[in-house]
Amino acid sequence: WPIGMSGCCCPLPRTCAVLLPVVGNRLMLFGGGVWTKGSGWGTRYNDVWMYDIAANAWSYIEPRGHVRPRTSSNCCAWVHGHHFYLHGGGEKRVTDGRGKVYDDHLVFDTVLHEWHHVVPRHIFSHGCGPRDGHWATVVGDYALLYGGYQDNEMFILKMPPLLYQLECSSSEYKQLRELFAERCRRYARKQLARFGGGDDDGGGGGGG
C-alpha cells in the first residue's frame, strides 16, 4: 500500500475489490482477489476492512453472526445510510471468461457489523440476475444498477432497511432514469474538462 500505515495490520494486495466511504469518516473494503499475468486469478476474498481516514489506520472487521458473502471479485456495491449493499460478483477465469457469476444480494450493517441476506421484491420486472463488473449510484432512497457481465439493462432499487424492491415500469422510474442519465452526462463533461477538452458545467476544474 502506498500510504504508510500507523498500525501493523492492513489488507493483503488485491484487485477488483470494492472500496466505498461509510459513516464515521471511514472507507470500507470488501472482497477482490489476486490476479497475475499469465496465471490469471488466484485467491479471492470475502473479508471486510475499515480504513479510518483521520487515524490513517486499517482495522479488520470480524462480522457477527453466521452470514458471510461468498469469496468474489468484481462485485457491485453502494452505501445507503449505515448499510453497505452488495450484489453479484463472481469467480470468472480471465483466460476464457468462464466460471461462476452470482446473483447474491447482501447488506452489511456498518454499525452492528452484521451481514444479512436480502430477498428483493420484483415489481413489474424480473430480477437483476447473475452479473459482475456492474456499477451502482445512489440518489435519495434509490440506487441504479447498470451493465455488467449479463447485459446493459438498468434497474432501479428502492431501499428500506434490509429490503428493496425493483421498479422498472412506473412514471417514477422514468423520472429517475432521466435524473441518473443527466448525472452521467454531467460526470462525463467534468471528466472531459479535467483531462482535456470541453467545459465543466459547474465552472472551475482542471487538475495537475
Side-chain angles (χ1 to χ4, degrees):
W1 295 85
I3 301 177
M5 297 300 154
S6 59
C8 61
C9 184
C10 66
L12 292 171
R14 64 192 67 195
T15 187
C16 297
V18 175
L19 181 68
L20 289 175
V22 295
V23 294
N25 200 31
R26 300 173 298 166
L27 301 174
M28 176 171 163
L29 176 74
F30 170 80
V34 177
W35 184 86
T36 55
K37 187 175 181 180
S39 300
W41 284 104
T43 304
R44 284 183 171 88
Y45 304 113
N46 66 344
D47 50 350
V48 174
W49 292 81
M50 292 290 182
Y51 176 68
D52 188 309
I53 297 174
N56 188 29
W58 285 101
S59 59
Y60 172 70
I61 305 298
E62 179 64 38
R64 299 174 181 173
H66 302 290
V67 177
R68 298 288 187 280
R70 303 192 228 196
T71 57
S72 58
S73 56
N74 292 302
C75 299
C76 178
W78 62 98
V79 175
H80 182 252
H82 59 85
H83 291 114
F84 177 97
Y85 288 82
L86 187 71
H87 176 254
E91 297 186 346
K92 284 196 304 182
R93 298 190 295 267
V94 175
T95 52
D96 57 12
R98 296 180 180 178
K100 299 176 182 178
V101 179
Y102 304 133
D103 188 24
D104 298 342
H105 295 259
L106 295 101
V107 62
F108 183 75
D109 189 312
T110 60
V111 175
L112 300 178
H113 294 170
E114 292 180 344
W115 283 106
H116 297 273
H117 287 290
V118 179
V119 180
R121 293 183 297 177
H122 300 154
I123 310 298
F124 308 123
S125 176
H126 56 81
C128 295
R131 64 186 62 215
D132 66 354
H134 49 317
W135 59 268
T137 187
V138 176
V139 172
D141 290 333
Y142 292 86
L144 178 141
L145 276 66
Y146 178 77
Y149 167 72
Q150 284 287 74
D151 47 47
N152 62 352
E153 290 182 298
M154 274 188 186
F155 296 92
I156 297 289
L157 302 172
K158 187 174 183 180
M159 299 172 293
L162 306 184
L163 181 67
Y164 55 93
Q165 63 189 22
L166 193 60
E167 301 185 8
C168 289
S169 63
S170 65
S171 59
E172 184 179 34
Y173 171 78
K174 293 177 182 178
Q175 293 172 2
L176 285 166
R177 283 193 67 147
E178 294 173 0
L179 177 62
F180 283 118
E182 178 56 29
R183 169 176 279 199
C184 291
R185 286 192 292 269
R186 289 201 304 268
Y187 176 79
R189 288 196 293 268
K190 288 179 180 179
Q191 295 305 303
L192 285 172
R194 179 180 179 185
F195 295 109
D199 294 325
D200 187 347
D201 64 347

